[in-house]
Amino acid sequence: MALTPGRDHPQVDLPPGRLRGAIEGGLAVFRAVPYAAPPVGDLRWRPARPHPGWSGTRDATADGPSVPQPYMKGGDPVLGGHGSPPFDEDSLTLNIWTPAADEGRRPVLVWIHGGGFVSGSGSMPNYSGDTFARDGDLVVVTINYRIGPLGYLYTGPEEGNAEGAGNFWLTDQLAALRWIRAHIASFGGDPENITVAGQSGGALSTAALAGHPETQGLIRRVILQSPPFGLDLPGPEAYMERTAAYLELAGVKTVAELRELPWPALIGAAGGLFARTARWGYWPTPFLPVIDGVTLERHPVEALLHGAASGIDVMIGWTREEANFGFALDPAYTAADRERVTARIADTFGARAAPEVYAAYERARPGSRPADVLMDLITDELFRAPALRLAEARARTRRPVWAYQFDLPTPAHEGRLGAAHCLELPFVFANFDQWAHAPFLAGLDPAVRDGLARTMHRAWIAFARTGDPGHPAMPAWNPYDADTRTTMRFDAVVTALADLAGDARRLHATSGSGPSA
């Protein structure tokens, strides 16, 4: 595992072969490192397999392609885009930032991107690991994994997969963790001190990994940013109805025929599945993890409460107005009336309780419109309430969990987004220069923005290094427990509050939304 010195191009010898990286801003960086065999041809919709290695020296100085996904030139009005060409199925790679490829045994931070299970990439500049590596003396790894139909389509039992294993995205992530455990010491990392962090769909992935039998003893702590734990994940039979609809949209009758299609046709058919699966008042999720009983035996949130995963350090949080991300700029929702929103509430609480629940949301946000009530409901159902149930359950078992809420609203779009889903990301990474294309950051006061970013960024570093996010430049941050329910409020003024989200916790305590913790 020897390191070959080089002023501008460090080289690392690994069993799969030699890698040639680059020095960027004083860090050794290795990009587009393959961790699994290309999932092409007969390996499409198969579990990830080990990479065969390479001969000679592999150049690792440039990003490789991202996993195929929808792409809208010009971006969107919130993030400005979340994944851009080039795309290719041969993209199961990871990127590494390290202060030095030596024997330093630094803590390792593995980042798993989100994107509604259909977009994103570990190579996006937004998720560059340089700030964490430089500011925290960490080794940072970001990964590409199969998303959309290539990663989340459930194909059921078939030739070569008789047991009906699904969740190919999860097999990719497990393969990446195996690679990291085996090789990260050669990049100055400590394989016995690994923190896995993710946001949104990436946070759901992080929970699934933490509870997987194969990772026992591998993951020391997890950071769960806006995990959509309120999603009702289908079993095999329910998912096959979705698969049948997708086959029809793709113009084929069997998975074998689907395997012959080029990937652009697969991405094109995915667009139709959005429309087929959409329900008014619900976050659109055409592709989902499947509880297949093989790769995933139970909802990921439950895995953090049982077995070996119950001893992992957990930090979990959400943004105050998560759902504004997807609904606040959509006229179909901003024009919603009280009657329709009350009917949507009845889906969760029943028709008899729905008017009372509507009134409770109105009281919690004086002057709210029906659209505000709807968005607060979706925020609670999908993100806040199930995260609180996890914190409550771990508190009862005296397993530490640190909770936070991101409250700083953005003035972009006349303030309609509030503290929306994804808004905490540039603060956590402290890299606003890499988010210049994102409309949702427009208008933020630079002094407030940068001060909050310093506080959050240092807290994430502290947690990755020690399992405790507290540091001297912020108020004392105690774990969430059954007595105080301490929750850190990240806003222009950072404050530790008792039971910050108590209204949501009490309202949804018996609603049944999301899995039972």
Side-chain angles (χ1 to χ4, degrees):
M1 311 286 185
L3 168 68
T4 302
R7 174 178 294 180
D8 299 317
H9 294 287
Q11 296 187 25
V12 173
D13 289 321
L14 305 171
R18 173 173 288 182
L19 289 171
R20 178 178 180 267
I23 299 297
E24 301 176 13
L27 300 171
V29 183
F30 299 82
R31 301 180 182 273
V33 180
Y35 66 81
V40 299
D42 289 341
L43 295 186
R44 183 189 277 178
W45 297 305
R46 302 278 191 241
R49 298 186 181 181
H51 195 275
W54 55 89
S55 59
T57 300
R58 183 183 180 95
D59 184 80
T61 62
D63 290 328
S66 295
V67 175
Q69 58 193 272
Y71 174 67
M72 180 172 61
K73 191 173 182 180
D76 64 83
V78 180
L79 291 181
H82 195 247
S84 58
F87 301 124
D88 195 281
E89 284 188 82
D90 182 3
S91 53
L92 296 188
T93 60
L94 52 79
N95 310 297
I96 303 168
W97 290 260
T98 179
D102 55 16
E103 297 180 358
R105 295 187 71 84
R106 299 169 180 84
V108 178
L109 177 64
V110 180
W111 175 257
I112 302 181
H113 71 80
F117 312 120
V118 296
S119 72
S121 169
S123 302
M124 291 175 59
N126 309 41
Y127 305 135
S128 174
D130 64 311
T131 53
F132 278 113
R134 185 178 300 111
D135 301 336
D137 194 32
L138 304 174
V139 176
V140 183
V141 185
T142 64
I143 66 172
N144 289 347
Y145 59 95
R146 283 174 282 182
I147 54 179
L150 292 165
Y152 287 86
L153 184 69
Y154 180 64
T155 59
E158 57 167 331
E159 184 179 353
N161 186 15
E163 59 186 356
N167 299 307
F168 307 107
W169 59 274
L170 181 57
T171 71
D172 294 347
Q173 294 170 7
L174 288 167
L177 281 178
R178 285 194 294 269
W179 193 99
I180 292 165
R181 176 173 55 190
H183 305 306
I184 204 65
S186 296
F187 298 88
D190 182 356
E192 297 180 1
N193 191 1
I194 294 176
T195 298
V196 180
Q199 184 264 350
S200 193
L204 193 96
S205 292
T206 299
L209 289 167
H212 198 280
E214 195 174 321
T215 67
Q216 291 189 16
L218 172 60
I219 299 173
R220 179 172 292 189
R221 52 190 68 99
V222 294
I223 302 174
L224 307 169
Q225 297 177 214
S226 302
F229 283 159
L231 286 172
D232 182 16
L233 302 185
E237 185 175 346
Y239 207 117
M240 287 308 294
E241 296 178 10
R242 191 172 296 225
T243 301
Y246 181 77
L247 291 172
E248 180 184 338
L249 290 163
V252 299
K253 297 184 181 300
T254 67
V255 173
E257 293 178 275
L258 198 65
R259 194 169 267 114
E260 298 300 319
L261 295 181
W263 67 256
L266 302 179
I267 302 303
L273 198 60
F274 268 95
R276 292 279 188 98
T277 58
R279 297 170 61 198
W280 193 89
Y282 291 86
W283 203 290
T285 50
F287 298 98
L288 287 166
V290 56
I291 309 297
D292 60 1
V294 182
T295 59
L296 196 60
E297 295 186 355
R298 54 190 170 188
H299 197 291
V301 67
E302 297 170 2
L304 292 170
L305 299 173
H306 308 284
S310 63
I312 292 175
D313 297 325
V314 176
M315 182 164 74
I316 189 169
W318 53 88
T319 71
R320 188 177 62 202
E321 288 107 4
E322 296 272 9
N324 290 32
F325 175 96
F327 299 90
L329 305 183
D330 187 338
Y333 288 101
T334 56
D337 60 21
R338 185 186 190 104
E339 182 179 7
R340 193 168 194 190
V341 173
T342 302
R344 167 64 180 82
I345 293 173
D347 288 353
T348 301
F349 291 90
R352 180 175 298 180
E356 182 181 343
V357 172
Y358 188 104
Y361 273 108
E362 276 190 317
R363 289 192 299 272
R365 191 198 289 220
S368 61
R369 306 163 301 151
D372 298 321
V373 172
L374 175 66
M375 288 184 285
D376 288 347
L377 171 77
I378 297 169
T379 292
D380 283 347
E381 283 185 352
L382 192 54
F383 300 100
R384 183 158 40 213
L388 286 166
R389 281 197 289 274
L390 172 65
E392 291 281 314
R394 285 183 64 100
R396 287 194 295 270
T397 61
R398 302 185 184 277
R399 300 292 188 180
V401 55
W402 281 262
Y404 71 88
Q405 179 171 293
F406 182 87
D407 275 25
L408 184 72
T410 173
H413 296 290
E414 298 79 44
R416 286 178 287 166
L417 291 172
H421 190 64
C422 295
L423 187 57
E424 91 286 4
L425 285 167
F427 292 84
V428 167
F429 279 82
N431 63 346
F432 293 99
D433 57 321
Q434 302 291 4
W435 292 81
H437 64 286
F440 75 163
L441 293 179
L444 284 170
D445 181 290
V448 172
R449 181 198 71 184
D450 294 346
L452 181 55
R454 281 192 297 272
T455 299
M456 294 186 70
H457 184 57
R458 288 179 64 183
W460 265 242
I461 288 171
F463 187 79
R465 295 194 64 86
T466 69
D468 184 336
H471 61 80
M474 68 184 300
W477 187 352
N478 296 319
Y480 188 102
D481 62 38
D483 295 323
T484 62
R485 297 186 169 94
T486 301
T487 306
M488 189 60 68
R489 179 175 183 254
F490 287 114
D491 202 339
V493 176
V494 178
T495 314
L497 297 175
D499 206 13
L500 170 60
D503 289 343
R505 178 180 61 80
R506 288 183 289 271
L507 188 61
H508 287 264
T510 58
S511 69
S513 64
S516 174

